[in-house]
Amino acid sequence: MSEHVQTQVGSGGQAVGQVGGQIGAQVGAPVDVQASEPLFNPLSPDFIRDPYPHYERLRNSDPMHVSAHGAFVASRHAEVSQVLRDKRFGKDFVERSIRRYGPQIMDEPIFRSMSHWMLQQDPPDHTRLRGLVVKAFTARRVEDMRPRIQAIVDETIDAVADQGHMDLIEDFAFRLPVTIICDMLGIPEEHREVFYKSSRGGGRILDPVPLTPEEIAEANMVNAMTKMYFEQLFELRRRSPGDDLTTQLIQAEEAGDKLSNEEMTANIILLFGAGHETTVNLIGNGLLALYRNPDQLALLRANPSLIANAIEEFLRYDSSVQMTGRVALEDIEDLGGKPIPKGENVLCLLGSANRDPAVYPQRPDLLDITRPNVKPLSFGGGIHFCLGAQLARIEAEVAISTLLRRLPELKLDDPENPKWRPTFVLRGLKQLPASW
Ligand code: HEM
Protein backbone atom coordinates (compact mmCIF):
# COMPACT_ATOMS: atom_id res chain seq x y z
CA MET A 1 0.00 0.00 0.00
CA SER A 2 1.28 3.45 -0.85
CA GLU A 3 2.45 5.50 2.10
CA HIS A 4 1.61 8.71 0.28
CA VAL A 5 0.33 11.39 2.60
CA GLN A 6 0.85 15.04 1.90
CA THR A 7 3.27 16.57 4.37
CA GLN A 8 2.01 20.12 4.42
CA VAL A 9 2.57 20.62 8.10
CA GLY A 10 4.59 23.79 7.70
CA SER A 11 5.96 24.55 11.10
CA GLY A 12 4.04 21.61 12.54
CA GLY A 13 6.75 20.71 14.98
CA GLN A 14 5.69 23.57 17.18
CA ALA A 15 2.12 22.41 17.61
CA VAL A 16 2.21 21.71 21.30
CA GLY A 17 4.41 24.45 22.37
CA GLN A 18 4.46 23.19 20.96
CA VAL A 19 4.92 20.89 25.00
CA GLY A 20 22.39 26.25 33.29
CA GLY A 21 23.80 28.76 33.91
CA GLN A 22 26.63 28.91 36.41
CA ILE A 23 24.77 30.37 39.31
CA GLY A 24 26.68 32.74 41.50
CA ALA A 25 24.15 32.94 44.33
CA GLN A 26 24.80 30.57 47.22
CA VAL A 27 22.31 29.49 49.85
CA GLY A 28 21.88 32.21 52.42
CA ALA A 29 23.97 34.70 50.40
CA PRO A 30 22.36 37.94 49.25
CA VAL A 31 20.46 37.49 45.99
CA ASP A 32 21.45 39.79 43.16
CA VAL A 33 17.96 40.89 42.10
CA GLN A 34 16.73 44.50 42.37
CA ALA A 35 14.35 44.75 45.34
CA SER A 36 12.07 47.01 43.28
CA GLU A 37 11.52 44.34 40.59
CA PRO A 38 8.23 42.40 40.73
CA LEU A 39 8.78 39.10 42.51
CA PHE A 40 7.40 37.08 39.60
CA ASN A 41 7.82 38.43 36.08
CA PRO A 42 8.64 35.21 34.21
CA LEU A 43 8.89 36.60 30.67
CA SER A 44 11.31 39.41 31.52
CA PRO A 45 14.66 38.93 29.76
CA ASP A 46 16.47 38.78 33.10
CA PHE A 47 14.16 36.05 34.40
CA ILE A 48 14.54 34.02 31.18
CA ARG A 49 18.33 34.40 31.30
CA ASP A 50 18.60 33.18 34.88
CA PRO A 51 15.42 32.46 36.87
CA TYR A 52 17.22 31.04 39.89
CA PRO A 53 18.00 34.22 41.88
CA HIS A 54 14.34 35.19 41.36
CA TYR A 55 13.23 31.83 42.73
CA GLU A 56 15.45 32.23 45.76
CA ARG A 57 13.92 35.62 46.46
CA LEU A 58 10.41 34.15 46.14
CA ARG A 59 11.17 31.21 48.46
CA ASN A 60 12.73 33.49 51.07
CA SER A 61 10.30 36.39 51.02
CA ASP A 62 6.89 35.17 49.83
CA PRO A 63 6.72 31.43 49.14
CA MET A 64 2.99 31.54 48.23
CA HIS A 65 3.19 34.79 46.30
CA VAL A 66 0.12 36.16 44.44
CA SER A 67 1.17 37.09 40.88
CA ALA A 68 0.13 40.15 38.86
CA HIS A 69 -2.39 37.87 37.09
CA GLY A 70 -3.90 36.72 40.38
CA ALA A 71 -2.41 33.21 40.59
CA PHE A 72 -0.74 31.77 43.70
CA VAL A 73 2.92 31.06 42.94
CA ALA A 74 4.30 28.11 44.93
CA SER A 75 8.10 28.18 44.99
CA ARG A 76 9.05 25.79 47.83
CA HIS A 77 9.44 22.06 47.30
CA ALA A 78 6.93 21.22 50.07
CA GLU A 79 3.96 23.06 48.54
CA VAL A 80 4.84 22.23 44.92
CA SER A 81 5.03 18.51 45.60
CA GLN A 82 1.88 18.60 47.76
CA VAL A 83 -0.22 20.34 45.10
CA LEU A 84 0.87 17.89 42.36
CA ARG A 85 -0.28 14.91 44.46
CA ASP A 86 -3.31 16.36 46.31
CA LYS A 87 -6.70 15.30 44.87
CA ARG A 88 -8.22 18.61 46.00
CA PHE A 89 -6.33 20.18 43.09
CA GLY A 90 -7.00 19.46 39.41
CA LYS A 91 -6.71 20.93 35.93
CA ASP A 92 -10.25 22.28 35.43
CA PHE A 93 -9.04 23.47 32.01
CA VAL A 94 -12.30 24.73 30.48
CA GLU A 95 -13.42 26.68 33.55
CA ARG A 96 -9.91 28.02 34.09
CA SER A 97 -9.65 29.24 30.49
CA ILE A 98 -13.11 30.83 30.62
CA ARG A 99 -12.23 32.61 33.85
CA ARG A 100 -9.12 34.05 32.25
CA TYR A 101 -10.38 34.93 28.76
CA GLY A 102 -14.21 34.83 28.83
CA PRO A 103 -16.61 32.14 27.50
CA GLN A 104 -15.84 32.79 23.80
CA ILE A 105 -12.33 31.38 24.32
CA MET A 106 -13.64 27.83 23.92
CA ASP A 107 -14.61 28.70 20.31
CA GLU A 108 -10.91 29.03 19.52
CA PRO A 109 -9.73 25.76 17.92
CA ILE A 110 -6.46 25.68 19.86
CA PHE A 111 -8.28 25.89 23.21
CA ARG A 112 -10.83 23.25 22.14
CA SER A 113 -8.00 20.97 21.06
CA MET A 114 -6.03 21.49 24.29
CA SER A 115 -9.14 20.77 26.37
CA HIS A 116 -8.89 17.16 25.07
CA TRP A 117 -5.22 16.64 25.98
CA MET A 118 -4.85 14.13 28.79
CA LEU A 119 -2.45 16.69 30.26
CA GLN A 120 -5.39 19.08 30.76
CA GLN A 121 -7.99 16.52 31.87
CA ASP A 122 -9.15 15.42 35.29
CA PRO A 123 -10.34 11.91 36.20
CA PRO A 124 -12.23 9.97 34.96
CA ASP A 125 -11.39 11.21 31.41
CA HIS A 126 -7.71 11.58 32.26
CA THR A 127 -7.55 7.98 33.52
CA ARG A 128 -9.26 6.68 30.38
CA LEU A 129 -7.01 8.58 27.94
CA ARG A 130 -3.75 7.84 29.75
CA GLY A 131 -4.71 4.16 30.00
CA LEU A 132 -4.87 3.92 26.20
CA VAL A 133 -1.19 4.75 25.66
CA VAL A 134 0.62 4.02 28.93
CA LYS A 135 1.83 0.55 27.87
CA ALA A 136 3.99 2.04 25.12
CA PHE A 137 6.02 3.90 27.77
CA THR A 138 6.81 1.17 30.32
CA ALA A 139 10.44 0.99 31.46
CA ARG A 140 10.85 -2.32 29.59
CA ARG A 141 9.45 -1.03 26.26
CA VAL A 142 11.61 2.06 26.47
CA GLU A 143 14.77 0.14 27.39
CA ASP A 144 14.21 -1.96 24.26
CA MET A 145 14.58 1.25 22.21
CA ARG A 146 18.15 1.82 23.43
CA PRO A 147 19.90 0.27 20.36
CA ARG A 148 17.76 2.39 18.01
CA ILE A 149 18.53 5.51 20.10
CA GLN A 150 22.26 4.70 19.96
CA ALA A 151 22.13 4.22 16.17
CA ILE A 152 20.42 7.61 15.63
CA VAL A 153 22.96 9.40 17.83
CA ASP A 154 25.86 7.72 16.00
CA GLU A 155 24.42 8.66 12.60
CA THR A 156 23.92 12.25 13.74
CA ILE A 157 27.55 12.51 14.87
CA ASP A 158 28.80 10.77 11.67
CA ALA A 159 27.06 13.49 9.65
CA VAL A 160 28.98 16.32 11.33
CA ALA A 161 32.21 14.71 12.57
CA ASP A 162 34.36 16.08 9.72
CA GLN A 163 32.92 19.60 9.93
CA GLY A 164 34.70 20.60 13.14
CA HIS A 165 31.76 22.78 14.07
CA MET A 166 28.02 22.45 14.75
CA ASP A 167 25.07 23.90 16.57
CA LEU A 168 24.48 21.39 19.38
CA ILE A 169 20.75 22.20 19.37
CA GLU A 170 19.86 22.15 15.67
CA ASP A 171 22.46 19.66 14.43
CA PHE A 172 22.60 17.33 17.43
CA ALA A 173 19.95 17.50 20.19
CA PHE A 174 16.95 18.06 17.91
CA ARG A 175 17.15 15.07 15.58
CA LEU A 176 17.03 12.26 18.16
CA PRO A 177 13.76 13.04 19.99
CA VAL A 178 11.98 13.96 16.74
CA THR A 179 13.04 10.68 15.11
CA ILE A 180 12.01 8.61 18.14
CA ILE A 181 8.57 10.21 18.49
CA CYS A 182 8.04 9.81 14.71
CA ASP A 183 8.94 6.08 15.11
CA MET A 184 6.50 5.73 18.01
CA LEU A 185 3.67 7.47 16.14
CA GLY A 186 4.28 5.51 12.93
CA ILE A 187 5.13 8.58 10.85
CA PRO A 188 6.70 7.21 7.64
CA GLU A 189 10.36 8.08 7.04
CA GLU A 190 9.57 10.00 3.85
CA HIS A 191 7.29 12.44 5.71
CA ARG A 192 9.80 13.39 8.38
CA GLU A 193 11.93 16.01 6.67
CA VAL A 194 9.29 18.65 7.32
CA PHE A 195 9.41 17.91 11.04
CA TYR A 196 13.22 18.05 11.11
CA LYS A 197 13.11 21.41 9.34
CA SER A 198 10.29 22.96 11.32
CA SER A 199 11.23 25.99 13.35
CA ARG A 200 11.12 25.62 17.09
CA GLY A 201 8.75 28.54 17.70
CA GLY A 202 5.68 28.35 19.88
CA GLY A 203 5.66 27.40 23.53
CA ARG A 204 4.05 30.64 24.69
CA ILE A 205 0.74 28.81 24.99
CA LEU A 206 2.02 27.11 28.15
CA ASP A 207 3.29 30.29 29.84
CA PRO A 208 1.37 31.78 32.78
CA VAL A 209 0.87 35.13 31.04
CA PRO A 210 -2.29 35.57 28.92
CA LEU A 211 -1.89 35.20 25.15
CA THR A 212 -2.50 38.14 22.84
CA PRO A 213 -5.13 37.76 20.06
CA GLU A 214 -2.23 37.53 17.56
CA GLU A 215 -0.63 34.72 19.52
CA ILE A 216 -3.97 32.87 19.67
CA ALA A 217 -4.38 33.30 15.89
CA GLU A 218 -0.86 31.97 15.27
CA ALA A 219 -1.47 28.97 17.57
CA ASN A 220 -4.77 28.25 15.74
CA MET A 221 -2.98 28.28 12.41
CA VAL A 222 -0.23 25.91 13.55
CA ASN A 223 -2.82 23.65 15.18
CA ALA A 224 -4.89 23.53 11.97
CA MET A 225 -1.88 22.57 9.84
CA THR A 226 -0.73 19.93 12.29
CA LYS A 227 -4.26 18.52 12.51
CA MET A 228 -4.41 18.35 8.74
CA TYR A 229 -1.26 16.24 8.65
CA PHE A 230 -2.37 13.88 11.39
CA GLU A 231 -5.80 13.36 9.83
CA GLN A 232 -4.03 12.16 6.70
CA LEU A 233 -1.82 9.92 8.81
CA PHE A 234 -4.97 8.44 10.41
CA GLU A 235 -6.32 7.64 6.95
CA LEU A 236 -3.05 5.94 6.05
CA ARG A 237 -2.95 3.89 9.25
CA ARG A 238 -6.61 2.88 8.90
CA ARG A 239 -5.74 1.40 5.49
CA SER A 240 -2.33 0.16 6.51
CA PRO A 241 -2.11 -0.53 10.26
CA GLY A 242 1.33 -0.57 11.91
CA ASP A 243 2.89 -1.41 15.27
CA ASP A 244 2.61 2.17 16.50
CA LEU A 245 0.65 4.46 18.80
CA THR A 246 -1.41 6.01 16.00
CA THR A 247 -2.72 2.61 14.91
CA GLN A 248 -3.40 1.74 18.57
CA LEU A 249 -5.50 4.88 19.09
CA ILE A 250 -7.35 4.41 15.79
CA GLN A 251 -8.31 0.91 16.89
CA ALA A 252 -9.50 2.27 20.25
CA GLU A 253 -11.54 4.93 18.47
CA GLU A 254 -13.07 2.37 16.11
CA ALA A 255 -14.01 0.17 19.08
CA GLY A 256 -16.63 2.82 19.90
CA ASP A 257 -16.70 4.12 23.43
CA LYS A 258 -12.99 4.45 24.27
CA LEU A 259 -12.17 7.82 22.74
CA SER A 260 -13.65 10.30 20.29
CA ASN A 261 -12.07 11.44 17.04
CA GLU A 262 -11.29 14.86 18.52
CA GLU A 263 -9.62 13.26 21.55
CA MET A 264 -7.52 11.03 19.31
CA THR A 265 -6.26 13.93 17.21
CA ALA A 266 -5.58 16.16 20.21
CA ASN A 267 -3.63 13.50 22.11
CA ILE A 268 -1.51 12.48 19.15
CA ILE A 269 -0.59 16.17 18.72
CA LEU A 270 0.17 16.34 22.46
CA LEU A 271 2.45 13.29 22.28
CA PHE A 272 4.24 14.67 19.25
CA GLY A 273 4.97 18.03 20.91
CA ALA A 274 5.62 16.80 24.46
CA GLY A 275 7.85 14.08 23.06
CA HIS A 276 10.51 16.27 21.54
CA GLU A 277 10.83 19.91 22.62
CA THR A 278 11.37 18.98 26.29
CA THR A 279 14.00 16.37 25.48
CA VAL A 280 15.90 18.64 23.05
CA ASN A 281 16.09 21.11 25.92
CA LEU A 282 17.19 18.51 28.49
CA ILE A 283 20.12 17.62 26.22
CA GLY A 284 20.92 21.30 25.48
CA ASN A 285 20.59 22.57 29.07
CA GLY A 286 22.53 19.54 30.36
CA LEU A 287 25.43 20.10 27.93
CA LEU A 288 25.58 23.81 28.76
CA ALA A 289 25.67 23.09 32.50
CA LEU A 290 28.37 20.47 32.04
CA TYR A 291 30.68 22.59 29.86
CA ARG A 292 30.29 25.55 32.23
CA ASN A 293 31.52 23.33 35.06
CA PRO A 294 34.81 21.86 33.76
CA ASP A 295 35.44 19.90 36.97
CA GLN A 296 32.14 18.04 36.49
CA LEU A 297 32.88 17.51 32.79
CA ALA A 298 36.26 15.98 33.67
CA LEU A 299 34.64 13.81 36.34
CA LEU A 300 32.05 12.44 33.92
CA ARG A 301 34.69 11.81 31.25
CA ALA A 302 36.77 9.86 33.77
CA ASN A 303 33.72 7.95 35.12
CA PRO A 304 31.20 7.41 32.31
CA SER A 305 29.11 5.22 34.63
CA LEU A 306 28.06 8.41 36.46
CA ILE A 307 25.86 9.32 33.47
CA ALA A 308 22.52 8.17 34.95
CA ASN A 309 23.04 10.24 38.10
CA ALA A 310 24.35 13.13 35.98
CA ILE A 311 21.08 13.18 34.00
CA GLU A 312 19.05 13.41 37.23
CA GLU A 313 21.29 16.28 38.32
CA PHE A 314 20.86 18.06 34.94
CA LEU A 315 17.09 17.70 35.34
CA ARG A 316 17.31 19.20 38.83
CA TYR A 317 19.84 21.90 38.05
CA ASP A 318 18.17 23.46 35.00
CA SER A 319 14.92 21.73 34.11
CA SER A 320 13.53 21.95 30.59
CA VAL A 321 10.05 22.30 32.11
CA GLN A 322 10.03 25.05 34.74
CA MET A 323 6.41 25.09 35.83
CA THR A 324 3.03 23.43 35.75
CA GLY A 325 -0.26 24.49 37.32
CA ARG A 326 -3.34 23.27 39.16
CA VAL A 327 -6.69 24.73 40.21
CA ALA A 328 -8.17 24.35 43.70
CA LEU A 329 -11.26 22.15 43.24
CA GLU A 330 -12.51 23.12 46.71
CA ASP A 331 -11.66 25.75 49.33
CA ILE A 332 -8.25 24.90 50.79
CA GLU A 333 -7.80 26.14 54.35
CA ASP A 334 -4.04 26.39 54.32
CA LEU A 335 -1.31 25.96 51.73
CA GLY A 336 2.05 27.27 52.89
CA GLY A 337 0.31 29.66 55.27
CA LYS A 338 -2.39 30.99 52.94
CA PRO A 339 -6.01 29.94 52.27
CA ILE A 340 -6.65 29.06 48.60
CA PRO A 341 -10.28 29.66 47.58
CA LYS A 342 -11.97 27.18 45.23
CA GLY A 343 -11.29 28.01 41.57
CA GLU A 344 -7.95 29.76 42.20
CA ASN A 345 -4.85 28.82 40.21
CA VAL A 346 -1.68 27.59 41.83
CA LEU A 347 1.48 27.80 39.73
CA CYS A 348 3.98 25.13 40.76
CA LEU A 349 7.55 26.31 40.13
CA LEU A 350 9.29 22.99 39.47
CA GLY A 351 12.62 24.70 38.76
CA SER A 352 12.48 26.48 42.11
CA ALA A 353 11.47 23.35 44.05
CA ASN A 354 14.51 21.63 42.51
CA ARG A 355 16.82 24.20 44.15
CA ASP A 356 15.09 24.33 47.54
CA PRO A 357 17.76 24.03 50.26
CA ALA A 358 15.17 22.34 52.51
CA VAL A 359 15.52 19.27 50.24
CA TYR A 360 19.02 19.81 48.82
CA PRO A 361 21.01 21.13 51.79
CA GLN A 362 24.36 20.64 50.00
CA ARG A 363 24.67 23.85 47.95
CA PRO A 364 21.64 23.46 45.68
CA ASP A 365 22.95 26.10 43.24
CA LEU A 366 25.99 24.00 42.36
CA LEU A 367 26.07 21.33 39.68
CA ASP A 368 27.21 18.09 41.34
CA ILE A 369 26.81 14.96 39.23
CA THR A 370 27.60 12.77 42.25
CA ARG A 371 24.89 14.38 44.42
CA PRO A 372 23.07 11.66 46.39
CA ASN A 373 19.25 11.26 46.41
CA VAL A 374 18.48 13.58 43.51
CA LYS A 375 14.74 13.37 42.91
CA PRO A 376 13.88 16.33 40.71
CA LEU A 377 10.27 17.41 40.23
CA SER A 378 11.01 18.15 36.56
CA PHE A 379 8.66 15.37 35.39
CA GLY A 380 5.89 16.51 37.75
CA GLY A 381 4.23 14.12 40.20
CA GLY A 382 0.91 12.46 40.97
CA ILE A 383 -1.50 11.29 38.26
CA HIS A 384 -0.01 13.46 35.50
CA PHE A 385 3.57 12.29 36.12
CA CYS A 386 5.33 12.53 32.75
CA LEU A 387 4.60 9.55 30.53
CA GLY A 388 7.87 10.00 28.66
CA ALA A 389 10.18 10.38 31.68
CA GLN A 390 12.10 7.15 31.19
CA LEU A 391 12.34 7.67 27.44
CA ALA A 392 13.72 11.20 27.90
CA ARG A 393 16.27 9.95 30.45
CA ILE A 394 17.57 7.24 28.10
CA GLU A 395 17.70 9.60 25.10
CA ALA A 396 19.70 12.15 27.11
CA GLU A 397 21.99 9.47 28.58
CA VAL A 398 22.89 8.03 25.17
CA ALA A 399 23.18 11.44 23.47
CA ILE A 400 25.44 13.06 26.06
CA SER A 401 27.68 10.08 26.78
CA THR A 402 28.19 9.33 23.07
CA LEU A 403 29.03 12.97 22.32
CA LEU A 404 31.67 13.05 25.08
CA ARG A 405 33.20 9.80 23.89
CA ARG A 406 33.20 10.53 20.16
CA LEU A 407 34.10 14.24 20.15
CA PRO A 408 36.47 14.56 23.14
CA GLU A 409 37.90 17.87 21.87
CA LEU A 410 34.50 19.57 21.66
CA LYS A 411 34.26 23.06 23.20
CA LEU A 412 31.39 25.53 23.39
CA ASP A 413 32.06 28.69 21.35
CA ASP A 414 30.57 31.07 23.92
CA PRO A 415 29.49 29.30 27.12
CA GLU A 416 29.00 32.54 29.07
CA ASN A 417 26.44 34.08 26.68
CA PRO A 418 23.94 31.39 25.78
CA LYS A 419 20.92 32.45 23.71
CA TRP A 420 17.75 31.37 25.52
CA ARG A 421 14.40 30.93 23.82
CA PRO A 422 11.96 33.60 25.04
CA THR A 423 9.56 31.17 26.77
CA PHE A 424 9.40 30.46 30.50
CA VAL A 425 7.68 27.09 31.02
CA LEU A 426 9.72 25.42 28.29
CA ARG A 427 13.28 26.44 29.14
CA GLY A 428 15.78 25.85 26.38
CA LEU A 429 18.44 27.31 24.14
CA LYS A 430 17.92 28.77 20.69
CA GLN A 431 21.35 27.55 19.71
CA LEU A 432 24.56 26.26 21.27
CA PRO A 433 27.46 26.54 18.80
CA ALA A 434 30.44 24.26 19.46
CA SER A 435 33.75 23.42 17.76
CA TRP A 436 36.31 20.60 17.95
C1 HEM B 1 13.11 16.11 29.67
C2 HEM B 1 12.02 15.75 29.08
C3 HEM B 1 10.64 15.93 29.65
C4 HEM B 1 10.22 16.72 30.68
C5 HEM B 1 11.06 17.63 31.59
C6 HEM B 1 8.79 16.52 30.81
C7 HEM B 1 8.00 17.10 31.76
C8 HEM B 1 6.67 16.80 32.00
C9 HEM B 1 5.88 17.28 33.09
C10 HEM B 1 6.37 18.26 34.17
C11 HEM B 1 4.65 16.74 33.00
C12 HEM B 1 3.49 16.89 33.99
C13 HEM B 1 2.75 18.17 33.86
C14 HEM B 1 1.70 18.32 34.92
O1 HEM B 1 1.72 17.64 35.96
O2 HEM B 1 0.82 19.17 34.73
C15 HEM B 1 4.64 15.92 31.81
C16 HEM B 1 3.53 15.23 31.36
C17 HEM B 1 3.52 14.55 30.18
N1 HEM B 1 4.62 14.25 29.38
FE1 HEM B 1 6.51 14.86 29.65
N2 HEM B 1 8.38 15.65 29.83
C18 HEM B 1 9.48 15.25 29.12
C19 HEM B 1 9.51 14.35 28.07
C20 HEM B 1 8.42 13.71 27.55
C21 HEM B 1 8.43 12.77 26.46
C22 HEM B 1 9.69 12.29 25.75
C23 HEM B 1 7.12 12.43 26.22
C24 HEM B 1 6.52 11.48 25.20
C25 HEM B 1 7.13 10.83 24.29
C26 HEM B 1 6.30 13.13 27.18
C27 HEM B 1 4.93 13.04 27.26
C28 HEM B 1 4.17 13.54 28.30
C29 HEM B 1 2.72 13.36 28.39
C30 HEM B 1 1.83 12.63 27.40
C31 HEM B 1 2.32 13.99 29.58
C32 HEM B 1 0.90 14.07 30.14
C33 HEM B 1 0.71 12.95 31.15
C34 HEM B 1 -0.62 13.05 31.87
O3 HEM B 1 -1.28 14.09 31.83
O4 HEM B 1 -1.00 12.05 32.48
N3 HEM B 1 7.11 13.89 27.98
N4 HEM B 1 5.89 15.95 31.22
Side-chain angles (χ1 to χ4, degrees):
M1 179 121 11
S2 152
E3 296 236 311
H4 180 77
V5 175
Q6 278 181 297
T7 45
Q8 41 182 288
V9 193
S11 52
Q14 41 178 290
V16 181
Q18 349 233 348
V19 200
Q22 175 72 50
I23 304 302
Q26 303 293 317
V27 190
V31 179
D32 185 20
V33 174
Q34 292 295 317
S36 57
E37 273 181 42
L39 271 176
F40 185 64
N41 186 11
L43 294 186
S44 76
D46 188 56
F47 206 106
I48 298 279
R49 190 181 55 78
D50 183 2
Y52 298 102
H54 298 267
Y55 291 156
E56 186 173 0
R57 190 166 155 232
L58 275 164
R59 286 193 308 268
N60 291 340
S61 64
D62 191 8
M64 284 300 294
H65 176 64
V66 178
S67 79
H69 299 286
F72 288 85
V73 183
S75 50
R76 289 190 303 214
H77 190 284
E79 286 81 28
V80 170
S81 86
Q82 180 189 333
V83 169
L84 293 175
R85 292 172 175 84
D86 189 328
K87 291 195 171 69
R88 297 172 301 165
F89 291 92
K91 294 285 185 166
D92 204 17
F93 179 81
V94 174
E95 289 306 314
R96 168 162 55 101
S97 305
I98 289 174
R99 271 195 299 275
R100 179 182 276 185
Y101 294 96
Q104 76 293 344
I105 196 66
M106 294 317 296
D107 298 335
E108 298 289 352
I110 179 67
F111 278 79
R112 270 211 314 281
S113 173
M114 281 170 77
S115 72
H116 293 298
W117 291 357
M118 72 180 88
L119 179 66
Q120 302 293 3
Q121 296 264 359
D122 293 312
D125 290 326
H126 169 262
T127 323
R128 172 175 55 86
L129 293 169
R130 187 170 165 117
L132 293 171
V133 292
V134 71
K135 278 205 195 104
F137 292 95
T138 58
R140 174 79 192 276
R141 284 289 285 273
V142 172
E143 194 51 49
D144 287 348
M145 293 184 210
R146 199 181 275 268
R148 168 78 174 142
I149 293 171
Q150 183 68 60
I152 298 164
V153 172
D154 280 323
E155 274 169 30
T156 309
I157 296 179
D158 290 345
V160 294
D162 295 338
Q163 277 174 211
H165 188 266
M166 70 167 148
D167 173 9
L168 283 167
I169 303 299
E170 210 62 37
D171 302 329
F172 179 68
F174 188 64
R175 206 163 177 97
L176 171 65
V178 176
T179 307
I180 290 294
I181 197 67
C182 285
D183 282 1
M184 292 183 83
L185 295 180
I187 295 176
E189 301 261 352
E190 63 270 26
H191 300 171
R192 297 184 183 181
E193 216 41 48
V194 67
F195 295 112
Y196 293 134
K197 290 209 183 101
S198 62
S199 71
R200 294 165 56 246
R204 262 285 286 125
I205 199 121
L206 300 173
D207 283 334
V209 174
L211 296 167
T212 63
E214 294 73 32
E215 286 171 324
I216 293 177
E218 163 79 14
N220 279 337
M221 200 254 306
V222 173
N223 186 60
M225 288 197 297
T226 311
K227 200 166 156 242
M228 208 186 305
Y229 172 72
F230 282 106
E231 276 163 2
Q232 293 177 67
L233 182 67
F234 296 150
E235 281 317 303
L236 171 67
R237 289 288 162 245
R238 277 187 217 282
R239 293 196 310 272
S240 171
D243 179 18
D244 56 65
L245 274 167
T246 304
T247 302
Q248 215 170 295
L249 287 187
I250 287 171
Q251 288 167 351
E253 187 226 0
E254 286 171 348
D257 55 357
K258 290 189 181 154
L259 91 164
S260 69
N261 188 277
E262 262 191 307
E263 286 175 331
M264 175 169 78
T265 312
N267 282 286
I268 289 282
I269 293 178
L270 167 68
L271 283 167
F272 185 79
H276 74 273
E277 183 64 26
T278 49
T279 310
V280 173
N281 293 339
L282 166 59
I283 297 170
N285 298 0
L287 285 170
L288 177 67
L290 197 55
Y291 279 84
R292 284 174 129 187
N293 288 273
D295 59 323
Q296 299 296 300
L297 176 60
L299 189 61
L300 186 56
R301 280 224 175 93
N303 305 276
S305 65
L306 286 174
I307 188 69
N309 207 66
I311 299 296
E312 294 311 292
E313 177 69 349
F314 297 151
L315 283 159
R316 183 197 73 81
Y317 182 76
D318 202 10
S319 176
S320 51
V321 177
Q322 287 287 315
M323 190 209 89
T324 184
R326 295 290 187 273
V327 171
L329 302 177
E330 56 185 81
D331 288 337
I332 309 288
E333 225 170 83
D334 175 25
L335 182 70
K338 288 191 183 163
I340 314 286
K342 179 179 175 185
E344 294 298 328
N345 277 312
V346 180
L347 308 183
C348 300
L349 299 186
L350 307 172
S352 176
N354 285 342
R355 300 266 190 128
D356 188 340
V359 176
Y360 300 103
Q362 301 298 322
R363 307 177 77 186
D365 287 322
L366 285 192
L367 182 78
D368 174 3
I369 62 167
T370 63
R371 189 183 293 276
N373 302 320
V374 194
K375 294 200 171 46
L377 287 178
S378 313
F379 293 119
I383 62 169
H384 291 278
F385 182 80
C386 177
L387 259 186
Q390 200 48 23
L391 174 61
R393 286 182 172 117
I394 295 181
E395 289 186 32
E397 242 184 80
V398 174
I400 294 178
S401 50
T402 309
L403 187 79
L404 296 187
R405 181 166 46 75
R406 291 200 48 196
L407 298 178
E409 307 295 317
L410 184 132
K411 287 192 175 48
L412 301 186
D413 291 359
D414 190 7
E416 294 319 313
N417 297 296
K419 307 269 179 302
W420 294 98
R421 296 187 56 205
T423 50
F424 162 61
V425 169
L426 298 182
R427 177 166 173 78
L429 295 158
K430 281 186 193 156
Q431 43 192 259
L432 190 59
S435 311
W436 59 95

